[in-house]
Amino acid sequence: MNLIYNFSAGPAMLPKEVLHQAEKELRDWNQIGSSIMEISHRSKEFIQVSLETEQDLRDLLSIPDSYEILFCQGGARGQFSAVPMNLLKNCKYADYINSGYWSNCALIEAKKYCIPNNILIKQVQYDKIFLLKPSEWNISDTSAYIHYCPNETIDGTSIYEEPKFKDKIIVGDFSSFILSRKINIENYGLIYAGAQKNIGPSGITIVIIRKDLIGYACKMLPSVFNYHILSKHNSMFNTPPTFSWYLSGLVFKWLKKKGGIKNIEKLNEKKSNLLYQIIDDSDFYINNIDKKNRSRMNIVFHLHDSKLNNFFLEEAKKFGLHALKGHYAIGGMRASVYNAMPLEGVQSLSKFMLYFEKRYG
Ligand SMILES: *Cc1c(COP(=O)(O)O)cnc(C)c1O
């Protein structure tokens, strides 16, 4: 098998150690004679897996008992609907912080259920893109909650300051941000994340919600999206995606073994700095996002000469560097370097970028 580094934005690469373990126990999990995929979600074996997975996530993010962890389906886009239907409580308004592609998608979906205040925070000054700080957000008095997206996977921007507004419920789409750095859960009413970026395989969506916010869903909400029903059934109201759940659990154990969030955060900083340094040291590679809002998970850049874009991708692939093409909405390149991407992968990409610039710049 060729050794390659996969920079896909999602579904993204998983830790090699985790895939090896999953491979080893694929046909016979824990000497039960079946794979974990083939047993009931109500079996004591799977319930044990589900509880450990939840506890490990609780440990990693220091989630207090006043918060419930739900394992949902329907992806982050499912939550674009589930959030308003569970949290609006007859309120007509919600604040939607609009920082880019995904937060705008969440806002559009919310229009089915309420009147979202479109709070645009993306600004351009001297050719640099930056995002307004939480203290500069134009929050309304009448909204049921504030929705934002701390890491715009496609735009390559991040908001590092955690928003705090007195008595306001903060909801975060953490799909490409969760577990990448330390956060204080108590600043949030609810955060959600599709697994396929920084957790595990696609199919499972994690919702972490303050318990007092559960139980106010609107009547027509499908039961599978109802936080109260999910919570009452330990996220097993309907059959959950058991394999994704199990594999996410292996990733959590891997992360704990690596020293938890503290260590991975340092590594993520190191990895992204390496790439941004190369970009900033050259006129050949361009990223025009202000330093304070640059994503450490999704590094977007384009070539000064856009005619070289496709050639760059072809050559990169020959060097074993895959999936660097930017999202079609933005173009250019995107290197997604989630937790599972080892430092060696980023070093390999930086070497290639230096070589390519020297050769064709
Ligand atoms: C990938 C992504 C989504 C979409 O996730 P699905 O699981 O496909 O619905 C939404 N928000 C963000 C920030 C993402 O990165």
Side-chain angles (χ1 to χ4, degrees):
M1 201 172 108
N2 290 338
L3 176 69
I4 65 117
Y5 290 110
N6 169 12
F7 293 88
S8 169
M13 71 170 293
L14 291 161
K16 286 281 167 291
E17 298 91 326
V18 166
L19 289 180
H20 280 141
Q21 186 178 343
E23 185 178 19
K24 218 171 59 198
E25 57 194 28
L26 186 68
R27 290 162 199 256
D28 183 13
W29 181 83
N30 234 2
Q31 279 95 53
I32 61 167
S34 291
S35 104
I36 192 80
M37 283 182 275
E38 299 167 304
I39 62 172
S40 167
H41 54 298
R42 307 204 185 280
S43 63
K44 70 174 190 316
E45 288 87 358
F46 190 79
I47 287 174
Q48 183 57 29
V49 168
S50 75
L51 292 174
E52 266 181 47
T53 301
E54 180 183 332
Q55 188 57 49
D56 286 336
L57 180 60
R58 219 174 256 285
D59 297 344
L60 283 165
L61 288 176
S62 309
I63 302 170
D65 287 341
S66 49
Y67 284 72
E68 191 89 35
I69 302 174
L70 304 174
F71 295 83
C72 307
Q73 296 176 70
R77 279 190 185 271
Q79 294 306 313
F80 292 175
S81 296
V83 163
M85 292 185 101
N86 276 283
L87 298 187
L88 277 169
K89 296 188 195 172
N90 295 325
C91 180
K92 273 213 264 306
Y93 306 99
D95 288 333
Y96 275 76
I97 307 303
N98 192 336
S99 54
Y101 187 93
W102 284 116
S103 53
N104 190 52
C105 287
L107 179 148
I108 290 166
E109 189 71 9
K111 285 183 182 169
K112 293 179 181 168
Y113 314 104
C114 65
I115 303 168
N117 299 315
N118 183 1
I119 302 172
L120 287 161
I121 62 160
K122 194 168 172 172
Q123 310 266 324
V124 182
Q125 201 170 38
Y126 307 115
D127 288 341
K128 283 260 184 252
I129 294 167
F130 71 98
L131 304 176
L132 293 179
K133 293 200 291 274
S135 58
E136 297 164 324
W137 295 353
N138 194 12
I139 301 302
S140 71
D141 296 331
T142 48
S143 60
Y145 58 85
I146 300 166
H147 180 280
Y148 90 119
C149 178
N151 188 74
E152 286 282 4
T153 322
I154 292 172
D155 306 66
T157 57
S158 270
I159 299 162
Y160 293 107
E161 191 187 329
E162 301 194 274
K164 278 181 217 148
F165 295 95
K166 202 171 170 289
D167 301 331
K168 280 279 182 196
I169 300 166
I170 308 284
V171 177
D173 174 359
F174 274 58
S175 295
S176 53
F177 200 63
I178 194 165
L179 296 166
S180 69
R181 72 197 312 266
K182 192 171 179 290
I183 55 164
N184 180 2
I185 283 287
E186 282 167 302
N187 286 330
Y188 303 92
L190 184 160
I191 70 173
Y192 61 90
Q196 69 271 22
K197 314 285 168 58
N198 214 11
I199 297 177
S202 59
I204 205 156
T205 311
I206 286 176
V207 170
I208 304 167
I209 178 171
R210 216 172 66 213
K211 283 180 180 163
D212 63 290
L213 300 177
I214 297 175
Y216 299 97
C218 71
K219 280 208 178 70
M220 73 214 290
L221 172 65
S223 301
V224 291
F225 282 135
N226 185 314
Y227 299 146
H228 176 63
I229 292 175
L230 284 166
S231 145
K232 224 172 51 186
H233 290 87
N234 301 316
S235 301
M236 296 190 192
F237 172 66
N238 69 318
T239 314
T242 50
F243 189 73
S244 301
W245 196 325
Y246 146 82
L247 211 85
S248 301
L250 294 187
V251 172
F252 296 157
K253 288 198 188 303
W254 170 82
L255 206 49
K256 275 181 137 178
K257 227 161 80 189
K258 287 246 160 196
I261 300 291
K262 213 169 114 217
N263 283 6
I264 209 81
E265 179 172 355
K266 272 195 217 126
L267 185 62
N268 287 334
E269 215 165 301
K270 191 168 171 180
K271 278 158 34 185
S272 52
N273 282 346
L274 203 59
L275 295 179
Y276 284 126
Q277 194 64 53
I278 288 174
I279 294 167
D280 287 342
D281 285 348
S282 93
D283 300 322
F284 187 73
Y285 300 110
I286 296 163
N287 168 297
N288 55 3
I289 298 164
D290 194 282
K291 284 200 170 89
K292 65 178 184 298
N293 290 123
R294 279 176 168 175
S295 170
R296 293 190 183 130
M297 295 284 101
N298 311 97
I299 288 112
V300 298
F301 60 94
H302 58 270
L303 304 189
H304 182 69
D305 178 1
S306 61
K307 288 197 295 293
L308 283 173
N309 278 359
N310 281 335
F311 185 57
F312 177 92
L313 293 168
E314 280 166 28
E315 287 294 292
K317 194 151 189 203
K318 285 188 203 154
F319 277 73
L321 305 166
H322 291 197
L324 286 162
K325 194 176 165 71
H327 190 270
Y328 63 85
I330 299 273
M333 321 296 159
R334 171 173 52 172
S336 295
V337 292
Y338 302 116
N339 290 350
M341 174 61 69
L343 180 62
E344 293 75 28
V346 175
Q347 286 166 335
S348 181
L349 173 59
S350 17
K351 264 192 221 141
F352 171 75
M353 286 171 74
L354 292 172
Y355 153 80
F356 192 86
E357 176 175 4
K358 211 161 156 190
R359 181 88 198 268
Y360 303 103

